[in-house]
Amino acid sequence: SPGITAPAPVATATPSPFTLSVRFVGEGGTDAHRELFRRAAQRWSRVVRSTPEAVTLSAPAGECAPWIPAVSERVQSLVVFVRIAAIDGPNRVVAQATPCYVSSTSRLPLLGFFELDEEDLAVLTDRGVLEQVVLHEMGHVLGIGTLWNYHRTLLSGAGTDDPHFTGPAARDAF
């Protein structure tokens, strides 16, 4: 009947046991820039549905990138070191991110890094795309596009004009 609307559907979310922990190295970026990384980490933590095992990780300083400190701790999910610093000047490499250590049992990343070129921050912010760039690169640390063929075959068409992900569970969920 007119004037009556159906109640909105209610969604119940089960908290994920996965936690993406962001650790900043250096003084680059503003508090607002750093908050974008925290929000991206929270968003990916809600999306990833794995139940990670705790792993003792010992990595020497500089193992993944020269600016990353040593790590010697029990890691439950994923630790991402983030640096906002000059990479190569404006309009070249905007950001780079990758996993460094991967669990031998789950094959999921345990430690990775994300570097954002501070000389591209103003342009990315002005264009309104900085948050999307951060989310995109954080996906690379999680293994999207970087670990598809790590002890498995989840990429078809590599090196062609039509590469695509073939993971059946993720494709079904999507």
Side-chain angles (χ1 to χ4, degrees), residues 124-137:
L124 295 173
T125 302
D126 291 346
R127 290 178 58 205
V129 297
L130 180 58
E131 189 163 8
Q132 289 81 13
V133 168
V134 171
L135 280 168
H136 172 96
E137 293 295 327

Side-chain angles (χ1 to χ4, degrees), residues 20-100:
L20 197 156
S21 171
V22 175
R23 298 182 188 170
F24 294 95
V25 176
E27 300 299 320
T30 65
D31 289 343
H33 294 135
R34 291 173 179 237
E35 182 58 28
L36 287 176
F37 283 89
R38 289 184 193 95
R39 284 200 320 253
Q42 290 171 347
R43 186 168 176 187
W44 278 115
S45 292
R46 288 190 309 267
V47 171
V48 175
R49 305 311 294 166
S50 72
T51 304
E53 77 277 7
V55 175
T56 300
L57 178 62
S58 294
E63 179 80 4
C64 296
W67 51 271
I68 296 178
V71 175
S72 183
E73 64 186 81
R74 196 107 170 113
V75 175
Q76 179 65 43
S77 294
L78 174 58
V79 175
V80 179
F81 284 100
V82 174
R83 180 172 86 149
I84 302 171
I87 296 175
D88 64 354
N91 303 318
R92 291 188 183 105
V93 174
V94 172
Q96 50 195 8
T98 190
C100 298

